[in-house]
Amino acid sequence: MTESQRFATIVTCIDGRIQRPLEEWAREHLDVDYLDTITEPGPAAVLTATGESHLTAVLEKVAVSQRAHGSGTLVIVGHADCAGNPVSADEHRDQLRRSVARLARRLPGTRILAVHADQCGERCWDPELVAEVHPTAVGA
């Protein structure tokens, strides 16, 4: 038996066409063996600009993933030209940064990363880490 696998939960609108590059990026940058992917349309917009009920629904999916896999890492991955979120690349980066700030308050103890990809599609995968929050250490 090997050591237990390291898991990350990913919220993304990116479909299977570029799942492999996403997995390779996560393994390289996050040192994880397994990604539990939650697909949501326009995740950056969902997590920053929509009603509290939708955010709660997304967070419930994240909580299930974290409990099932022991994941302490959440990655939000999206692209600006998603059909559910057609914004400029700069606005998309800002949405992702706001997502991380908002989620950090709701998910204490979770490492949260936001990754921006320029466009949807297998030939356009160019990930850019735009924000990251590390879990705060619990005082002894």
Side-chain angles (χ1 to χ4, degrees):
M1 279 282 200
T2 60
E3 289 183 21
S4 62
Q5 293 184 333
R6 294 171 301 269
F7 291 85
T9 302
I10 294 187
V11 177
T12 182
C13 57
I14 296 173
D15 63 28
R17 291 176 298 164
I18 56 174
Q19 189 65 32
R20 181 172 294 194
L22 173 58
E23 290 173 358
E24 290 170 359
W25 183 90
R27 284 189 179 99
E28 179 182 336
H29 289 86
L30 304 177
D31 193 28
V32 297
D33 298 320
Y34 177 78
L35 307 175
D36 188 21
T37 304
I38 299 169
T39 303
E40 290 288 328
V46 163
L47 296 171
T48 60
T50 62
E52 194 66 21
S53 63
H54 193 80
L55 175 62
T56 300
V58 173
L59 290 175
E60 287 173 1
K61 293 177 185 178
V62 169
V64 168
S65 173
Q66 289 181 325
R67 281 193 308 270
H69 304 296
S71 171
T73 302
L74 173 64
V75 184
I76 306 164
V77 184
H79 53 312
D81 69 341
C82 171
N85 186 30
V87 296
S88 71
D90 288 339
E91 175 60 20
H92 186 253
R93 288 181 185 92
D94 289 342
Q95 287 178 342
L96 288 166
R97 290 182 191 108
R98 290 192 305 269
S99 296
V100 167
R102 185 175 184 190
L103 289 172
R105 294 189 297 271
R106 299 286 296 267
L107 297 169
T110 299
R111 178 183 179 200
I112 306 171
L113 299 93
V115 177
H116 166 81
D118 284 333
Q119 298 177 20
C120 180
E122 61 189 79
R123 297 185 180 269
C124 303
W125 176 247
D126 186 16
E128 173 191 358
L129 179 63
V130 296
E132 181 173 2
V133 172
H134 288 275
T136 56
V138 178

